[in-house]
Structures are given as C-alpha cells and as structure tokens.
Amino acid sequence: MKKNALVHTLASGLLLIAATAHAEAGILSCEALKEKIATKLEGKGVNNYTLQVVSKDTETKHRVVGSCEGDKKKIIYKKEKAGAKAEE
C-alpha cells in the first residue's frame, strides 16, 4: 500500500509541475504581443497607428487591443491622422 501512495504522490507532483510550466509558458511578453498585433493590422492594410504598452490600471479613451505580462499591462491602439508618422 505504501508503494501505491508514493506513486500517487509522485504522479500528482509531476502533474502540478507540468501545469505550472504550461501556465507560465502562456504568459506573453508585451513586445511579442505588440509584434503579433502589428503584423495582423498591417496584413489588413491598416496604417497610421501606434501601439502603446501601459499599466493595466491606466485609464484611456483609446481601444485596448491586448493584455500581456500576466495581465499586468495592456496594449492600446491609437489611430493617427493621415500623414502622421506612426510610432512603435
């Protein structure tokens, strides 16, 4: 019976470690997400915009297009006037 309890404990521990590693792998850096969003926007022909990384608590009138770093920050999209240079 002790052998079964040990195997069960080890299996549970391995599952917990695997779940933790999977959750951490799901945390996307802001720069990586910003690049993905920019690629999608450019693929749709969108230009004259900026993407800005801000704290999740930052109030904004602009559109939030993503969250990153474990939901600690967000990325906001600002449409620029035609002819204005987009910052990234």
Side-chain angles (χ1 to χ4, degrees), residues 2 23 47 50 59 64 81:
K2 289 182 183 181
N47 52 27
T50 59
E59 292 187 30
V64 176
K81 294 181 181 176

Side-chain angles (χ1 to χ4, degrees), residues 12 15 61:
S12 296
L15 286 173
K61 63 181 180 179

Side-chain angles (χ1 to χ4, degrees), residues 37-81:
I37 294 168
T39 300
K40 285 184 180 183
L41 290 171
E42 291 165 11
K44 293 181 178 186
V46 177
N47 52 27
N48 297 324
Y49 68 90
T50 59
L51 296 173
Q52 184 178 3
V53 177
V54 297
S55 170
K56 74 172 186 173
D57 299 326
T58 303
E59 292 187 30
T60 181
K61 63 181 180 179
H62 301 287
R63 184 173 181 185
V64 176
V65 293
S67 63
C68 49
E69 294 185 13
D71 205 27
K72 293 178 185 171
K73 295 184 180 180
K74 60 187 175 184
I75 299 175
I76 56 174
Y77 166 88
K78 296 179 186 178
K79 183 70 176 166
E80 302 292 331
K81 294 181 181 176

Side-chain angles (χ1 to χ4, degrees), residues 18-32:
T20 302
H22 178 70
E24 288 179 5
I27 297 175
L28 195 58
S29 76
C30 291
E31 287 306 311

